[in-house]
Amino acid sequence: MLLNSIIIDNIRSYEHEEVEFPRGISLFEGDIGSGKSTVLMAIEFALFGLGSQKPEALLAKKADSGAVILDFSVDGEKYEIKRSLKRTNSGVNQDPKNSWIKIEGQKEPLSPSELKQRVLQILKFNEPADPKAESRIFRYAIFTPQEAMKEVLSDSKRRLETIRKAFGIEDYSIAASNAKELLVELRERSASLQERFSSISQLESEMSESQRTILDVKKEVAIQSEKKTRLKEKEDVLVSDIKKLQDKNSEKIKLESKKENLVEKIESAKSEIQKIESEFAEFESELKQNADRLEKLLEIKKPQTSKSVSELTAEIKKFQEINDNLIGFNSEKKNISEDLKRLQKSLGEKINSDKETLENILKDLQNEKKSLENFEDEIKEKQDKVKEQKTQKETLKNSLEKEIAKFSQLGNMCPTCKQDITETHHHSLVDEKQKEVDALNKELESIADSFFESNTKLKEIRSKLDSYDEEINQIQRILPGIEDYTAKSEKLAQIEAKIQKLQGSQGGEYGQNPVVHLTRLKDELVQYKGAAEQKKQIVEVKERAEKQISKIQREGEKLETELSQNESELKRIESDLVSFEDITRLISAKEKEQDALRDEITSISGILAACNERINNEQDKMAQNEKKVLESRKWQERFNVVTQYKEWLESFFIPTIAMIEKQVLLSILQNFNETYTRWYSILVEDPTKESRIDENFTPIVNQDGYEQEIGFLSGGEKTSIALAYRLTLNSLMRKEMESMKSNLLILDEPTDRFSKNQLGKIRELLDELKSEQIVLVSHEKELETYVDNIFHISKLNGVSKIFKIN
């Protein structure tokens, strides 16, 4: 992979920067905090997304959005990537609507996670496309922050994890760990399977016991069945005897039922006769009462009127409406009269003024006022022009007076040509200017007089305008009152005419109070008609009652005849029932004997049902046990398979993985130590010191045969060890991994705390790297002589800028 260019918008301290990446060795230099590392962070963000970086730390504090566009090449093919950040109420996140990849000029919009997956495919990096994870291969093979490498050196646990991840050795541990987890699961599975077939012997024993039980129960069934058959035969004989007795008893029941019916009929007839007698008495009493009511109703006479009730009701309604209208009109008349009195009091003598005349006067006053206002505006406009002329004249006068004063102060030399002037010429110059001043004074006096005159006219006009305003306001206040007075006077006359008309329609044949008279007539007429209707109803009721009395008399005579006949029949039935007295006792004895037999048969049936149930249960139990045995045999077969897997993992696979991992780690350790020693020897030329890598991949420093703690080394020595370790990782991963054959190498602050002597080794170091494109980030000026291209980064007012020097 090779970098071509990058565009940075609103990322950390950058607002907008565009950088072209040349081939060869490029140095990005600048003071601490100027924004050098931000360029590297932007490259990694464009390729792989946020990873371990926080979006709030990448986006500029004052910006709502930011973006990085990276142009790079892989195997001669060009690619361009854009990733964006957007600030919302919930925080800063990648903007999925503004991320894409361009391949040979063809743009393809992709989400942030899809974009990372596509980049990993292009770079042939074999790692998961988790958008929240940084690219480990990129970090180890191409770019590792220097501080991160120092942390690896000081933390043995993290160092081994880093080495294992870098060279894929952790895959062996993962495989062994997964195998051990699988082994635990297989052991649990084996124990579970063993439990499932451990009861085979017990199940087979239960099946034999069930067979013996079924044979014993079947013998018992045969004995009880024979006993039940004998009891059934005896029960059949009893049933036949009971049936004969029940037939005789049915005849007895019929007679008893007939007797009961006759008794009920006799009692019912007696009750009906009493009821008829009671109804007869009630009808006679009702006839007497209706006769009394009829006599009173005959006394009510018809009132003296030819109108019907509905006609009288209509007349009452008409006169009530007249009364209601009179009340309303009188109330309205009173209100209008009071309003007219108030208007007369407020307007006084002007109440009789003509409205049209007032309106004409008002119109004339308004026209004259408008003419005066126009004249006033003309005078003011003229005054403004006079003021302007006055200002111009005064300015010219002041200028001339200054020139006269200047000429008076002159000597005998002209200030312009520096030649001598005569006294006569001097006086002529002053007199000429003085004449102009005098003329201007006269013009100013004339302007002042004109201005005074126009002011006098303005005052006169303003006085007239005020008097016109007063007259107009007075007329405008009077006019609405006169209009209101005229309108209400006309309405009062109309209401009085309506009241007079309604009062005239109230007199006539019904007297002074027609509503009361008509209401009395209507009530008397309603009473008369009601009495007539009641008389008619009473006559009809009397006729019906007389008919009903005749009918009741006939029904009573018929009931007395039927009662006599039923009493004779009852005596005959009672004599016949005496011969059936012993049948009930005989039937009861036979039924008791039958119940005893049936109880015994039921008991035997219960025993037989229980035996059959027991046989069925045992048979079901045998079938279930047979099924369980077959199932247990299957579980036993599965147990054997699982046991074989368990033994293979435990005895062969896990030990083999451990041996392979150890051999691979030893092979890498040997190569790592050789490469590290070479880089260390280039960076540190001290014959008394040497460094190597131990079995835990820890760098060991010896001086004169004594081991030294890395923590006690100088800053430059620590940086040298970290850089040698970093280049070792880079070199080996390029050799070991197919996807890591990259021509790009990024070094972040590789010379931190280097001495001047150590800085001199950088040229040899860069030559040894032999990469087509190397990007150095440093604040060391001494590196400028060792590189092909220099980019200077500076920060002004919090904004970083990049300038290419050569």
Side-chain angles (χ1 to χ4, degrees):
M1 179 176 73
L2 294 172
L3 302 178
N4 298 322
S5 65
I6 189 168
I7 299 174
I8 304 173
D9 286 325
N10 292 326
I11 299 297
R12 290 167 69 96
S13 58
Y14 288 93
E15 289 182 349
H16 177 80
E17 281 298 319
E18 297 184 16
V19 179
E20 298 283 341
F21 290 102
R23 301 297 181 261
I25 304 171
S26 299
L27 172 64
F28 285 79
E29 65 172 13
D31 294 335
I32 295 172
S34 59
K36 301 185 297 297
S37 296
T38 301
V39 177
L40 306 185
M41 293 170 69
I43 294 170
E44 189 173 13
F45 170 64
L47 289 170
F48 306 107
L50 291 169
S52 60
Q53 300 181 73
K54 294 188 179 298
E56 294 82 359
L58 273 178
L59 183 63
K61 298 299 182 184
K62 296 181 180 179
D64 292 328
S65 62
V68 177
I69 301 176
L70 180 67
D71 189 310
F72 64 98
S73 300
V74 176
D75 294 334
E77 189 169 0
K78 288 190 67 175
Y79 302 91
E80 190 175 329
I81 291 176
K82 180 177 181 180
R83 285 186 188 268
S84 302
L85 293 172
K86 187 175 182 181
R87 192 186 305 278
T88 62
N89 293 333
S90 59
V92 179
N93 293 292
Q94 291 195 66
D95 186 1
K97 296 181 180 179
N98 199 15
S99 64
W100 45 259
I101 185 169
K102 191 183 290 184
I103 303 174
E104 294 298 331
Q106 296 294 321
K107 185 188 289 185
E108 182 181 359
L110 294 172
S111 68
S113 58
E114 292 172 338
L115 190 57
K116 180 174 182 180
Q117 189 172 5
R118 181 62 60 85
V119 170
L120 292 174
Q121 291 172 356
I122 293 169
L123 298 178
K124 299 176 183 178
F125 283 6
N126 183 22
E127 57 185 357
D130 183 1
K132 294 183 179 180
E134 62 189 17
S135 171
R136 293 186 322 199
I137 296 174
F138 182 80
R139 275 294 179 98
Y140 297 142
I142 297 174
F143 161 60
T144 304
Q146 191 66 24
E147 290 301 319
M149 288 307 305
K150 290 181 180 180
E151 289 174 5
V152 169
L153 296 179
S154 60
D155 188 342
S156 59
K157 182 178 178 182
R158 186 167 180 178
R159 178 176 59 253
L160 281 174
E161 288 179 359
T162 302
I163 298 298
R164 297 174 73 86
K165 288 179 180 180
F167 295 102
I169 300 172
E170 67 174 356
D171 293 343
Y172 295 107
S173 297
I174 293 170
S177 177
N178 292 341
K180 289 175 182 178
E181 289 179 8
L182 178 60
L183 183 60
V184 171
E185 189 175 342
L186 289 174
R187 285 172 179 164
E188 293 174 357
R189 181 69 172 162
S190 175
S192 174
L193 292 171
Q194 193 170 13
E195 288 180 3
R196 295 195 176 194
F197 68 85
S198 61
S199 58
I200 291 178
S201 301
Q202 183 181 350
L203 291 171
E204 290 175 342
S205 176
E206 289 178 0
M207 289 170 61
S208 300
E209 182 64 27
S210 294
Q211 287 178 340
R212 289 193 296 271
T213 301
I214 289 170
L215 291 174
D216 293 340
V217 173
K218 283 183 176 179
K219 290 178 183 178
E220 181 67 20
V221 168
I223 294 169
Q224 295 297 332
S225 296
E226 186 179 353
K227 186 177 180 181
K228 182 179 178 182
T229 302
R230 290 198 302 270
L231 292 172
K232 275 282 187 184
E233 291 172 353
K234 191 175 180 180
E235 183 189 17
D236 292 341
V237 174
L238 274 173
V239 168
S240 178
D241 293 343
I242 290 170
K243 188 174 183 303
K244 292 175 182 178
L245 291 171
Q246 285 176 340
D247 290 341
K248 289 183 178 181
N249 192 47
S250 296
E251 294 179 16
K252 175 187 176 185
I253 291 169
K254 286 179 182 178
L255 289 172
E256 288 177 342
S257 176
K258 193 173 181 181
K259 175 185 174 183
E260 289 176 359
N261 290 334
L262 287 171
V263 171
E264 287 178 1
K265 285 181 179 180
I266 291 168
E267 294 296 328
S268 176
K270 290 179 179 179
S271 174
E272 193 68 27
I273 290 169
Q274 289 177 355
K275 183 178 177 182
I276 288 170
E277 290 174 350
S278 174
E279 288 179 358
F280 187 79
E282 288 176 0
F283 279 122
E284 285 187 336
S285 175
E286 186 179 354
L287 285 173
K288 186 176 182 305
Q289 291 174 359
N290 287 334
D292 295 339
R293 287 174 59 199
L294 185 60
E295 186 177 351
K296 291 179 180 178
L297 291 171
L298 290 171
E299 296 175 356
I300 299 172
K301 304 299 181 180
K302 183 179 179 181
Q304 296 299 319
T305 180
S306 61
K307 295 183 182 293
S308 66
V309 173
S310 59
E311 290 172 341
L312 288 172
T313 302
E315 287 289 313
I316 290 168
K317 185 177 179 182
K318 183 180 75 174
F319 283 107
Q320 282 177 338
E321 288 177 353
I322 291 172
N323 286 341
D324 292 341
N325 289 334
L326 278 171
I327 291 168
F329 286 138
N330 282 322
S331 175
E332 192 174 358
K333 175 184 175 183
K334 181 180 178 183
N335 292 333
I336 293 173
S337 298
E338 289 175 356
D339 291 342
L340 289 172
K341 288 178 182 178
R342 284 195 299 273
L343 288 170
Q344 285 175 341
K345 185 177 180 181
S346 64
L347 296 174
E349 295 178 356
K350 294 178 181 177
I351 193 72
N352 297 318
S353 299
D354 183 51
K355 175 188 171 186
E356 186 176 354
T357 302
L358 288 173
E359 286 176 343
N360 290 332
I361 292 170
L362 178 63
K363 188 174 180 182
D364 292 340
L365 286 170
Q366 288 173 339
N367 289 333
E368 288 183 21
K369 178 187 174 184
K370 188 174 181 181
S371 298
L372 283 174
E373 286 173 344
N374 292 335
F375 186 47
E376 182 184 31
D377 291 340
E378 289 175 2
I379 292 172
K380 287 180 179 179
E381 186 177 351
K382 186 176 179 181
Q383 279 186 333
D384 291 338
K385 291 180 180 179
V386 168
K387 285 179 183 179
E388 186 178 349
Q389 289 177 1
K390 181 183 177 183
T391 303
Q392 291 175 354
K393 300 292 183 182
E394 286 177 345
T395 304
L396 181 58
K397 175 189 170 184
N398 292 333
S399 177
L400 289 170
E401 286 176 345
K402 287 179 181 179
E403 287 182 13
I404 290 169
K406 186 176 179 182
F407 280 128
S408 299
Q409 293 173 1
L410 289 176
N412 295 324
M413 184 181 290
C414 177
T416 304
C417 63
K418 304 298 181 180
Q419 293 180 1
D420 292 337
I421 58 176
T422 65
E423 185 177 351
T424 303
H425 182 59
H426 184 276
H427 280 292
S428 66
L429 289 172
V430 172
D431 293 341
E432 185 180 347
K433 298 295 181 183
Q434 187 62 47
K435 286 178 183 179
E436 292 179 12
V437 170
D438 294 341
L440 287 170
N441 283 331
K442 289 179 181 180
E443 289 179 6
L444 286 170
E445 287 176 3
S446 174
I447 289 169
D449 293 340
S450 174
F451 193 77
F452 178 78
E453 184 182 350
S454 63
N455 273 341
T456 304
K457 288 181 181 179
L458 278 175
K459 288 179 182 178
E460 292 174 0
I461 290 169
R462 175 48 54 195
S463 176
K464 286 183 180 181
L465 285 173
D466 291 341
S467 64
Y468 285 165
D469 285 339
E470 186 178 352
E471 289 182 37
I472 288 169
N473 290 335
Q474 188 177 8
I475 292 171
Q476 286 176 339
R477 285 196 302 271
I478 292 170
L479 275 175
I482 291 172
E483 290 176 355
D484 194 19
Y485 183 82
T486 304
K488 287 187 175 179
S489 297
E490 291 175 357
K491 190 171 184 181
L492 180 62
Q494 293 172 359
I495 290 171
E496 287 175 343
K498 289 179 181 178
I499 290 172
Q500 189 175 0
K501 183 179 179 182
L502 289 172
Q503 286 174 343
S505 64
Q506 274 189 326
E509 58 178 314
Y510 300 122
Q512 293 298 322
N513 200 337
V515 175
V516 175
H517 177 73
L518 289 169
T519 302
R520 178 177 57 75
L521 276 178
K522 187 188 83 167
D523 293 343
E524 290 176 356
L525 185 60
V526 169
Q527 185 183 18
Y528 173 77
K529 287 191 173 184
E533 184 66 26
Q534 288 181 26
K535 286 188 285 185
K536 182 180 177 183
Q537 291 175 357
I538 289 170
V539 171
E540 291 176 354
V541 170
K542 180 182 177 185
E543 291 176 354
R544 286 198 303 271
E546 288 174 348
K547 289 180 182 178
Q548 194 68 21
I549 288 171
S550 176
K551 181 181 176 183
I552 289 170
Q553 286 176 340
R554 290 195 300 272
E555 288 178 353
E557 291 173 356
K558 183 180 178 182
L559 284 171
E560 287 179 351
T561 303
E562 290 178 355
L563 178 62
S564 176
Q565 293 174 353
N566 287 334
E567 286 177 343
S568 299
E569 181 69 15
L570 179 61
K571 289 179 181 178
R572 185 184 64 77
I573 289 171
E574 286 177 343
S575 64
D576 291 340
L577 284 171
V578 174
S579 60
F580 291 99
E581 288 180 354
D582 294 337
I583 289 176
T584 303
R585 182 179 55 78
L586 291 171
I587 290 173
S588 178
K590 292 287 185 182
E591 285 178 345
K592 285 181 180 179
E593 187 177 354
Q594 185 186 25
D595 290 341
L597 280 172
R598 284 182 175 175
D599 289 342
E600 192 172 355
I601 290 169
T602 301
S603 177
I604 292 171
S605 297
I607 293 170
L608 288 172
C611 290
N612 288 327
E613 180 69 20
R614 191 174 176 189
I615 290 170
N616 290 334
N617 290 340
E618 292 297 330
Q619 288 175 342
D620 290 342
K621 186 177 178 181
M622 283 182 64
Q624 290 174 4
N625 285 340
E626 285 177 0
K627 186 177 179 181
K628 287 179 181 179
V629 169
L630 290 173
E631 190 69 22
S632 296
R633 298 291 185 197
K634 292 178 182 178
W635 289 120
Q636 190 174 20
E637 291 174 3
R638 293 184 186 180
F639 169 78
N640 294 335
V641 173
V642 170
T643 301
Q644 291 175 0
Y645 288 152
K646 179 172 67 71
E647 290 175 353
W648 180 80
L649 284 172
E650 192 171 16
S651 303
F652 175 75
F653 184 76
I654 294 174
T656 303
I657 286 290
M659 290 174 60
I660 294 171
E661 180 183 9
K662 186 176 181 180
Q663 290 300 320
V664 171
L665 196 59
L666 287 173
S667 174
I668 291 172
L669 177 62
Q670 184 178 353
N671 293 334
F672 200 100
N673 185 54
E674 292 174 359
T675 306
Y676 169 78
T677 302
R678 183 167 61 86
W679 287 120
Y680 179 83
S681 64
I682 292 172
L683 289 169
V684 180
E685 283 191 356
D686 188 346
T688 64
K689 290 183 179 179
E690 61 179 18
S691 184
R692 61 181 177 81
I693 300 297
D694 68 2
E695 63 275 7
N696 293 321
F697 285 84
T698 302
I700 304 298
V701 178
N702 290 318
Q703 185 171 14
D704 296 327
Y706 294 97
E707 187 174 315
Q708 287 187 318
E709 285 285 338
I710 292 178
F712 295 111
L713 297 175
S714 67
E717 288 176 321
K718 290 179 183 178
T719 302
S720 298
I721 293 171
L723 181 57
Y725 209 94
R726 160 81 171 88
L727 296 175
T728 302
L729 271 174
N730 178 271
S731 301
L732 290 181
M733 289 188 70
R734 288 186 182 190
K735 293 177 182 178
E736 298 291 333
M737 302 179 67
E738 180 66 26
S739 61
M740 289 311 301
K741 291 183 178 178
S742 170
N743 293 319
L744 172 65
L745 180 63
I746 299 173
L747 297 176
D748 181 18
E749 296 289 356
T751 62
D752 184 33
R753 298 187 182 181
F754 268 22
S755 65
K756 289 186 178 182
N757 185 39
Q758 287 176 307
L759 287 172
K761 299 293 183 182
I762 292 301
R763 167 58 69 183
E764 184 179 354
L765 177 76
L766 296 176
D767 291 340
E768 282 284 337
L769 288 173
K770 295 179 182 178
S771 290
E772 187 175 345
Q773 188 177 52
I774 298 175
V775 177
L776 296 177
V777 173
S778 178
H779 62 276
E780 299 286 355
K781 287 281 187 180
E782 287 80 355
L783 295 179
E784 292 181 359
T785 59
Y786 307 146
V787 299
D788 303 315
N789 310 286
I790 299 174
F791 294 87
H792 181 72
I793 301 176
S794 62
K795 183 185 286 186
L796 181 63
N797 297 326
V799 179
S800 296
K801 291 289 183 181
I802 302 175
F803 304 96
K804 187 176 181 183
I805 297 175
N806 62 356

